[in-house]
Amino acid sequence: MTSVLYDVPGPKARRVSLIGSVIGVVAIAGLLWWAITILAQQGIFEPERWAVFQIPEVWVLIGNGIIATLTAAAVAAVIAFPLGLVLCLMRISDVAWIRIPTRIVLEFLRGMPVVLMMFFVLLVFATGSFTAVVAGLVLYNSAIFAEIIRAGIQSLPKGQREAGLAIGLTSFASRRSIELPQAIRRMLPSLVAQLVVLLKDTSLGYIVSYEELLRKVQIMADFLGPDYLFPVFFVAAAIYIAINFSVSRLAIWIEKRGSKKAAGGVVHVPVAGIPVK
Amino acid sequence: MDVIIDNLPAYVDGFLRTLFLSVVSGIFALIFGTLLAAARVSPIAALRGFSMTYVEIVRNTPLTIAFFFAAVVLPRLGVTFQQFEVAAIIALSAYTSAFIAEAVRSGVNSVPVGQAEAARSIGMKFSQVLTLIILPQALRTVIPPMINILIALVKNSSVAGAFYVLELFGYGRQLANANGDAVLWVLVGVAFFYLLITVPLGYLANLVERKVAIAR
């Protein structure tokens, strides 16, 4: 696509592009240099600031933070997926008094900030912060999973369900053994992309005082002194981004690989963080 | 229930502040995101690289980290904000613009190749192809996903409430602390005002999508 927008560059265009690139690189390098000088003025690069990482306890805390983050995400994902499946089946049920209330509930869950749900569970049910984080994530993500799977079922050719019903399967049996396996396979990239969103949202646990990675950073900064806030934050943010980045890559890999296996190919990954319609 | 009616002015104020945060950040994000998308398809390699790196990093960064950086880390480094709203708007628009850029880019990719070829063959320059042919069509197809991003933005603005900004969620926290016996209703009120923005926007997205689908 990109190549159609402009001609294959000739010598002149290549020169212009090269000059543009050089200017661009210089501008970006200048910005970075400016940021680094400001940081250096604050004494960020003095070795003793980074010496905190020689303290084993710092790594223990960071490790605990990562474990707490991943535990919350894993527990939430494991509960949210089956729940999403059930919600999806209810949402497309033939029975109106199941379908319509489910639709309202899903609409409600998708329209609310995740942090508000966590806060709600924390205060109203007076649970611990772990339960609040997991419950908030489960409520929101099961609604999103339900919508993703529904989109997958609706993207199947009509004949799949018609054929299932024609050979005498019940409506549920057709969903279970014909439509869902295909739909889930088609939507696998989107489902994995939603996992990235879920993982990112565990950081909201910071707000409800769940001791995940970011909260640990705050605790360490309070304990070690404000001078060490930046180094610790920097490392924690890098870890967060690295974890999310690997899961995003997984989604892209599944999308590329899956297009050979799934009937009709997989559906393109929507941008992470956008609720599917 | 009474607690909502008693504190209605606070709710309305919080609602307006949330709306303000979302609208301002949304406008900045739309502008910056479209520029990023244009950079992503431009012939200049450095711009492409910058846009790609930015989008990749921001998309994989939790919003809470962005807020923590703007509200807690930056002041330690000597960058202070007169009002935390400014930090919130910067964090929200920097975060959202990456998603806008991805949406616009996928829109650019959805325009049939023949459109660009035809424009090229009648002698249009790159800038003309992009602004007159590709972007008008691309923006049309990306309006529904764009609205969904803006819905996410409204919901994300609630994170600002945890970082010293007084908006709907921030008021909700205050009211919940002040009315320990009626927490349920306080938060139901907050939820209601969020749904007041997000549900109509969701319907708008569906409506526009159906319109565009017919036109194509």
Side-chain angles (χ1 to χ4, degrees), chain B residues 2-188:
Chain B
D2 290 339
V3 71
I4 299 179
I5 296 160
D6 291 344
N7 295 296
L8 205 56
Y11 277 115
V12 172
D13 189 40
F15 176 73
L16 293 178
R17 282 165 189 261
T18 290
L19 213 55
F20 171 77
L21 265 185
S22 311
V23 169
V24 175
S25 317
I27 290 170
F28 280 128
L30 281 175
I31 296 170
F32 192 44
T34 312
L35 288 178
L36 275 174
R40 183 73 191 267
V41 297
S42 85
I44 298 172
L47 285 180
R48 278 205 303 270
F50 169 75
S51 167
M52 218 166 97
T53 320
Y54 179 87
V55 170
E56 271 301 313
I57 291 180
V58 171
R59 268 177 54 184
N60 288 306
T61 309
L63 184 62
T64 329
I65 289 216
F67 266 102
F68 190 83
F69 182 72
V72 180
V73 179
L74 277 185
R76 283 263 174 275
L77 298 176
V79 186
T80 44
F81 297 98
Q82 296 293 313
Q83 285 166 310
F84 282 110
E85 275 83 356
V86 181
I89 288 171
I90 293 173
L92 279 174
S93 34
Y95 182 78
T96 310
S97 62
F99 295 95
I100 301 265
E102 272 299 282
V104 173
R105 189 178 70 93
S106 65
V108 169
N109 285 337
S110 77
V111 177
V113 180
Q115 296 288 322
E117 283 172 349
R120 290 287 308 140
S121 68
I122 57 168
M124 286 185 166
K125 293 184 298 187
F126 169 69
S127 57
Q128 287 175 314
V129 179
L130 201 60
T131 55
L132 296 176
I133 307 294
I134 305 290
L135 278 186
Q137 297 186 61
L139 286 176
R140 241 170 88 113
T141 53
V142 298
I143 286 174
M146 207 91 106
I147 296 175
N148 281 319
I149 297 175
L150 295 179
I151 294 175
L153 168 66
V154 173
K155 293 192 292 181
N156 285 337
S157 72
S158 64
V159 180
F163 290 95
Y164 318 118
V165 178
L166 207 55
E167 41 70 82
L168 203 43
F169 182 69
Y171 270 115
R173 287 196 349 155
Q174 279 190 356
L175 291 175
N177 281 335
N179 304 284
D181 50 337
V183 174
L184 177 71
W185 286 109
V186 167
L187 295 180
V188 167

Side-chain angles (χ1 to χ4, degrees), chain A residues 1-2 4-7 16-17 20-22 24-25 28 38-39 42 44 103 107-116 119-120 123-124 140 196 199-201 203-204 206-207 214 217-218 226-227 229-230 233 236-237 240-241 244-245 248-249 252 268 270-277, chain B residues 40-46 48 50 56-65 68-69 72-73 76-78 95 99 102-103 108-109 111 113 116-117 120 126 129-130 134 144-145 148-149 152 155 158-159 162-163 169 172-173 176 183-184 187-188 190-191 194-195 198-199 203 206 209:
Chain A
M1 178 67 214
T2 321
V4 198
L5 292 176
Y6 35 85
D7 287 327
V16 171
S17 164
S21 285
V22 169
V25 167
I28 292 166
I38 286 190
L39 288 180
Q42 302 289 329
I44 288 303
R103 189 176 165 185
E107 202 77 33
F108 176 77
L109 290 177
R110 281 167 53 211
M112 286 225 297
V114 182
V115 61
L116 186 64
F119 205 61
F120 187 88
L123 292 185
V124 174
Y140 181 71
V196 179
L199 202 54
K200 283 190 341 187
D201 282 351
S203 67
L204 293 172
Y206 170 80
I207 296 167
L214 198 58
V217 168
Q218 176 87 65
D227 279 357
L229 178 63
F230 185 79
F233 170 79
Y240 243 125
I241 294 171
N244 289 328
F245 188 77
S248 306
R249 287 286 122 180
I252 294 170
H268 180 69
V271 184
I274 307 170
V276 280
K277 299 154 297 280
Chain B
R40 183 73 191 267
V41 297
S42 85
I44 298 172
R48 278 205 303 270
F50 169 75
E56 271 301 313
I57 291 180
V58 171
R59 268 177 54 184
N60 288 306
T61 309
L63 184 62
T64 329
I65 289 216
F68 190 83
F69 182 72
V72 180
V73 179
R76 283 263 174 275
L77 298 176
Y95 182 78
F99 295 95
E102 272 299 282
V108 169
N109 285 337
V111 177
V113 180
E117 283 172 349
R120 290 287 308 140
F126 169 69
V129 179
L130 201 60
I134 305 290
N148 281 319
I149 297 175
K155 293 192 292 181
S158 64
V159 180
F163 290 95
F169 182 69
R173 287 196 349 155
V183 174
L184 177 71
L187 295 180
V188 167
V190 175
Y194 272 111
L195 294 174
T198 53
V199 170
Y203 274 98
N206 280 342
E209 186 171 38

